[in-house]
Amino acid sequence: MTRLYRRRFPQLRTHDFEHVWAGLTAVTHNGGFYFGQARPGLYASVGCGGAGVVRGTIHGKLLAEFASGSPSSLLRDRLRQKGPNWLPPDPVRRLGVTAQIAWEQWRAGRERQGRPCASQQSLMASVLTA
């Protein structure tokens, strides 16, 4: 993370960080996110992207309502919203993910030169095994 920060803000290369943190941000191609019962007894909210803190908080409450059978009007509204686009099976999915990551790296230019960062590799692995 420090290396990427310094690439983006070269004028601040002399600043040190006390702590750095990185993690995966689940996103979908159409901006939709999965919310609901994935299978009996398993409830999930996935793909909230950069709004994960806000959506994740309210989705946690709504998933608890859903799992306990105590739906609110907000939960009913949320269940009516569209989800993410369908993903094709391999090898089409693998080609699409690989091409998308290459495109994003090209767009990022010098900031992301070289191999995909660890989070991109993890994302690609999770998408390809889904």
Side-chain angles (χ1 to χ4, degrees), residues 34-85:
Y34 178 82
F35 175 90
Q37 187 172 14
R39 62 178 176 241
L42 178 64
Y43 298 83
S45 172
V46 183
C48 293
V53 172
V54 175
R55 282 189 187 147
T57 300
I58 190 65
H59 280 182
K61 179 185 181 306
L62 295 177
L63 286 174
E65 289 178 10
F66 197 11
S68 68
S70 305
S72 65
S73 61
L74 184 58
L75 174 59
R76 285 187 289 276
D77 288 346
R78 175 60 198 95
L79 289 170
R80 285 192 286 267
Q81 292 180 358
K82 284 181 61 175
N85 287 347

Side-chain angles (χ1 to χ4, degrees), residues 2 5-6 12-20:
T2 301
Y5 177 84
R6 290 188 173 138
L12 301 175
R13 285 181 188 266
T14 60
H15 296 295
D16 290 322
F17 296 99
E18 186 173 328
H19 301 282
V20 292

Side-chain angles (χ1 to χ4, degrees), residues 93-105:
R93 180 176 56 214
R94 180 179 303 273
L95 291 170
V97 168
T98 302
Q100 184 71 33
I101 289 174
W103 169 249
E104 295 295 334
Q105 286 180 326

